[in-house]
């Protein structure tokens, strides 16, 4: 599905904007920076000696906003590209993967509707596979192998090495392991199983010829 946003069908520039693509990109960055600053407004920034949770995201948002302002300024002074045709596929799958990850990793409830917390073990592969379909070149085999490789890496990095309080697996899964196993032992076992699954899928399907990939966005461009 695609939409024509503007004008590469009309080569003549109208008005003071000399680079519509830079203008839209700059405004998007400024909007993202403003949204980020608003979302973290309740967090403590701290100091350089005692950094708070808002220090890095706040200054990162300010840097992104400044870059956006530079782009907006140059869009009036420097000739640039017009907006091109674009597809909704990428934004839909990327935003959908982020929402799916956010709703499933800790669980979500809204009235009678409730999702159990599934942890990184399920939310990770789900987000990776959904996000991978943002491109028409995506293949399920490669996405599954990628998901089963990246997720255990993140599990060990955040849950084991950095000891971050990230939910790693569904609570129901812990009953499947011996009662005397620690949480980190269960984490490592799950990570090992997922890595082994990625290797098995890779070896079992490496000789299969992939089907043709539709790289056209059906908007007249390849």
């Amino acid at each position: 599905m695609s939409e024509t946003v503007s004008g590469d069908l009309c080569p003549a520039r109208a008005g003071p904007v000399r680079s519509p693509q830079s203008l839209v990109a700059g405004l998007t960055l400024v909007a993202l920076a403003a949204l980020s600053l608003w979302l973290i407004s309740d967090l403590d920034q701290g100091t350089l000696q005692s950094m708070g949770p808002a220090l890095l995201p706040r200054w990162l948002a300010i840097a992104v906003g400044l870059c956006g302002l530079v782009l907006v300024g140059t869009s009036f002074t420097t000739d640039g590209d017009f907006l091109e045709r674009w597809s909704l596929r990428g934004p839909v799958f990327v935003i959908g993967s982020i929402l799916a990850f956010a709703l499933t990793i800790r669980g979500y409830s809204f009235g009678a509707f409730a999702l159990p917390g599934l942890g990184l073990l399920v939310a990770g592969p789900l987000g990776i596979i959904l996000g991978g379909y943002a491109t028409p070149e995506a293949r399920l085999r490669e996405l599954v192998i990628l998901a089963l490789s990246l997720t255990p890496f993140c599990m060990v990095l955040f849950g084991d090495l950095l000891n971050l309080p990230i939910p790693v697996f569904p609570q129901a899964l812990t009953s499947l392991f011996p009662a005397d196993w620690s949480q980190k032992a269960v984490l490592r076992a799950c990570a090992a199983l997922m890595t082994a699954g990625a290797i098995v899928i890779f070896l079992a399907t490496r000789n299969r010829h992939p089907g043709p990939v539709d790289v056209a966005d059906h908007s007249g461009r390849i």
Side-chain angles (χ1 to χ4, degrees):
M1 181 178 180
S2 63
E3 295 181 4
T4 302
V5 175
S6 177
D8 54 353
L9 298 177
C10 180
R13 290 181 170 82
V17 180
R18 299 174 62 178
S19 177
Q21 197 172 89
S22 296
L23 177 63
V24 173
L27 291 176
T28 302
L29 291 180
V30 171
L32 288 175
L35 177 63
S36 301
L37 291 173
W38 177 68
L39 290 175
I40 63 175
S41 59
D42 294 335
L43 298 179
D44 179 31
Q45 175 174 290
T47 63
L48 289 178
Q49 289 73 30
S50 178
M51 292 187 289
L55 181 64
L56 180 60
R58 179 166 295 160
W59 285 101
L60 181 60
I62 291 174
V64 170
L66 290 176
C67 291
L69 291 176
V70 171
L71 278 176
V72 171
T74 56
S75 70
F76 294 97
T77 60
T78 306
D79 291 336
D81 296 328
F82 288 96
L83 292 175
E84 298 178 350
R85 296 175 185 272
W86 58 288
S87 171
L88 287 176
R89 176 174 182 141
V92 166
F93 275 97
V94 170
I95 294 175
S97 68
I98 294 173
L99 290 176
F101 182 87
L103 293 176
T104 55
I105 189 169
R106 289 187 182 276
Y108 176 78
S109 61
F110 182 76
F113 175 76
L115 281 175
L118 301 177
L120 190 59
L121 184 69
V122 177
L126 180 62
I128 292 171
I129 292 174
L130 283 178
Y133 277 102
T135 169
E137 302 176 29
R139 295 191 180 95
L140 181 61
R141 171 184 177 272
E142 283 80 0
L143 290 177
V144 170
I145 294 174
L146 179 65
L148 294 179
S149 303
L150 282 182
T151 302
F153 172 78
C154 295
M155 290 166 59
V156 172
L157 176 63
F158 296 118
D160 192 351
L161 300 180
L162 298 180
N163 289 316
L164 295 180
I166 297 176
V168 176
F169 28 70
Q171 289 300 316
L173 185 64
T174 58
S175 63
L176 300 177
F177 292 87
D180 57 342
W181 280 28
S182 66
Q183 186 175 9
K184 286 192 175 181
V186 176
L187 183 154
R188 293 165 187 165
C190 292
L193 288 174
M194 296 183 76
T195 304
I199 295 173
V200 169
I201 294 175
F202 172 77
L203 294 176
T205 60
R206 59 179 174 174
N207 293 326
R208 293 184 181 178
H209 298 290
V213 175
D214 182 11
V215 298
D217 62 3
H218 306 290
S219 63
R221 296 186 303 116
I222 301 296

